[in-house]
Amino acid sequence: MNKRISLTRYLVEQQRMEGHIPAQLRLLLEVVARACKRISLTVNKGALGGVLGSTESENIQGEMQKKLDIIANEVLIEANEWGGHLAAMASEEMDGIYIVPNRYPQGEYLLMFDPLDGSSNIDVNVSIGTIFSVLVKPDGQGVLEQDFLQPGHQQVAAGYCVFGPQTTLVLTVGDGVAMFTLDREQGSFILTAENMRVPADTQEFAVNMSNQRHWDTPVKRYIDECLQGTTGPRGKDFNMRWVGSMVADVHRILTRGGVFLYPWDKREPEKPGKLRLMYEANPMAWLIEQAGGAASTGKQRILDLQPGKLHERVSVFLGSKNEVERIARYHGEA
C-alpha cells in the first residue's frame, strides 16, 4: 500500500464516520491489539522464555492446558479489565464469566476470546492465534452469564491475531474485513489489506481426514466428491490443506479462498460439534460473511444460532459461499 496506515489511525477514521463505531469500542479494540502484541512476543520466545509444555490443569472443556494458554488468558484479562470499556469478559479457558472488579469503572461492552487457538501446535512451532468477539451488554444493573448469550449477528466487532511468520491482525467492525501486519521495529499494526474477499468458488478444502470414518453421511458425500476430482461429479481436482489451528486455516481461506469443515462426528453423538460457538465459530463466521463467504452448521446459519450456554459447541462449515451452500444442501437432502 502507498501510505502506511496504523491500526489506531484506521480505527479513528472508522469512528469519524458518522454512527459507525463509538469511541469506547475503538479504545477497546486498541487494548485488545496491544494484548495480542504482548502474546506474540511471549510466543516468539518459545523455549527461551520457558513457556512451552503443558500444565497439570484442565480447562472447562476437559482439555489439558498449555502454559501459554494460561499466560495468554491472563494477558488479555490484565490488559482489558482497567480501561473502563468493558463490563465483563468470558474465555474458553475459564469456567464462568469474569466481571470487571469494582475498583475499575465498568463500560458497556462484553469481550469473549479464545486466548490461544491451536495450542496443541505450540510446541512444534506451527501458527497459532487469538480469536476475539465483542458484544454490547444488555441494559440493566450488573452482569450475568445470560448477557453473553447473544446470537452472533449481534457482534459489534470480531477478529483474530495469528502468530506465524508474521503477526497478523484481522478485524471487522461490520464494514468489511481489514488486515494489519505487526511492524516490530515500529511496534504497531500497519494496514496491509482492506475489503478482503473470499472467492465464491474454490478447489481447496480444510478438514481432518483422519476422522472421516466418524462423519455423518452428508460430509462423507461432499469430501468423496472432492476426492474424485475431474473424474467425479464435481469435474475438477481439489487440494486439501489442514493446519489444525483454526486461525491458520481460516486465515488461508480469507487470503485465497477455500472451505473449512469441522463437523459433528459419532464419537460424541450428544455434542453438536467440537468448536466453541461463542469463542471460535461466531467471530470467524462474521469475518467470513463480511468477506463475502458463508458460514453454516450444515443445517443453519451460524450467526443466527441462539446460544444456550457459555461453552456451547457447534459444527462448523465456512469459507467459499458456493461450497458451504453445497454442504448445507447435502445436509438438507439427507
Side-chain angles (χ1 to χ4, degrees):
M1 302 183 72
N2 293 330
K3 58 181 180 179
R4 291 167 63 88
I5 298 174
S6 68
L7 174 65
T8 297
R9 176 175 172 180
Y10 175 86
L11 291 172
V12 167
E13 290 176 353
Q14 292 287 313
Q15 180 188 334
R16 286 173 177 165
M17 296 169 64
E18 185 176 354
H20 200 54
I21 66 168
Q24 292 301 304
L25 179 57
R26 171 179 69 82
L27 293 170
L28 168 58
L29 293 173
E30 289 189 46
V31 173
V32 171
R34 286 199 296 272
C36 287
K37 284 192 285 185
R38 284 184 57 193
I39 295 170
S40 176
L41 290 170
T42 304
V43 168
N44 288 157
K45 289 179 182 178
L48 298 176
V51 295
L52 300 185
S54 301
T55 66
E56 298 301 317
S57 60
E58 293 183 348
N59 64 16
I60 184 63
Q61 325 296 335
E63 300 162 339
M64 186 64 68
Q65 290 177 306
K66 298 287 188 178
K67 293 178 183 177
L68 273 171
D69 284 322
I70 297 173
I71 292 169
N73 195 71
E74 291 174 349
V75 166
L76 283 158
I77 290 174
E78 291 171 3
N80 284 284
E81 67 179 355
W82 55 270
H85 321 307
L86 284 177
M89 293 174 262
S91 165
E92 183 177 311
E93 300 300 328
M94 299 189 297
D95 293 3
I97 65 174
Y98 180 91
I99 299 173
V100 170
N102 290 332
R103 63 182 179 275
Y104 301 123
Q106 280 201 359
E108 62 179 301
Y109 293 104
L110 304 172
L111 177 65
M112 293 169 292
F113 47 83
D114 179 352
L116 213 56
D117 176 76
S119 57
S120 61
N121 284 320
I122 289 171
D123 294 348
V124 294
N125 200 24
V126 171
S127 294
I128 53 179
T130 296
I131 308 172
F132 61 90
S133 169
V134 183
L135 296 166
V136 176
K137 186 183 87 68
D139 292 336
Q141 294 294 317
V143 188
L144 301 172
E145 184 173 307
Q146 185 69 29
D147 295 331
F148 284 83
L149 304 183
Q150 303 178 37
H153 63 252
Q154 293 183 210
Q155 294 172 104
V156 294
Y160 63 81
C161 193
V162 60
F163 313 121
Q166 305 92 40
T167 293
T168 304
L169 178 69
V170 177
L171 175 70
T172 184
V173 291
D175 186 24
V177 179
M179 180 170 71
F180 305 82
T181 302
L182 180 61
D183 183 332
R184 295 193 180 280
E185 295 177 356
Q186 186 175 321
S188 59
F189 282 104
I190 304 299
L191 182 67
T192 46
E194 279 189 284
N195 301 315
M196 299 178 72
R197 305 300 293 173
V198 176
D201 294 295
T202 187
Q203 290 178 242
E204 197 163 279
F205 64 89
V207 69
N208 187 345
M209 286 293 294
S210 68
N211 294 330
Q212 185 174 18
R213 66 192 184 280
H214 304 298
W215 295 337
D216 208 359
T217 301
V219 182
K220 287 182 179 179
R221 174 186 174 187
Y222 175 78
I223 295 298
D224 286 345
E225 290 181 355
C226 291
L227 294 177
Q228 291 174 48
T230 55
T231 62
R234 302 302 307 276
K236 59 182 180 180
D237 290 326
F238 281 76
N239 289 324
M240 193 197 87
R241 297 289 184 267
W242 180 253
V243 178
S245 297
M246 189 185 190
V247 285
D249 284 308
V250 171
H251 187 67
R252 184 184 58 253
I253 288 168
L254 269 172
T255 303
R256 70 185 194 196
V259 60
F260 173 90
L261 304 89
Y262 213 124
W264 170 92
D265 74 49
K266 61 185 179 183
R267 288 172 297 177
E268 296 182 292
E270 76 285 356
K271 294 179 180 178
K274 169 75 171 176
L275 297 178
R276 267 61 89 178
L277 174 62
M278 308 292 284
Y279 313 110
E280 296 166 320
N282 273 342
M284 290 306 202
W286 198 32
L287 284 163
I288 289 292
E289 285 198 6
Q290 283 290 309
S296 172
T297 66
K299 300 177 181 179
Q300 185 178 358
R301 179 185 179 224
I302 287 175
L303 295 180
D304 288 338
L305 289 173
Q306 174 59 53
K309 55 185 179 180
L310 200 58
H311 297 287
E312 187 167 333
R313 296 175 186 253
V314 66
S315 296
V316 174
F317 305 96
L318 58 76
S320 294
K321 188 173 184 180
N322 290 342
E323 297 301 312
V324 174
E325 289 179 349
R326 178 182 289 268
I327 294 168
R329 186 170 75 249
Y330 287 0
H331 278 82
E333 291 172 2

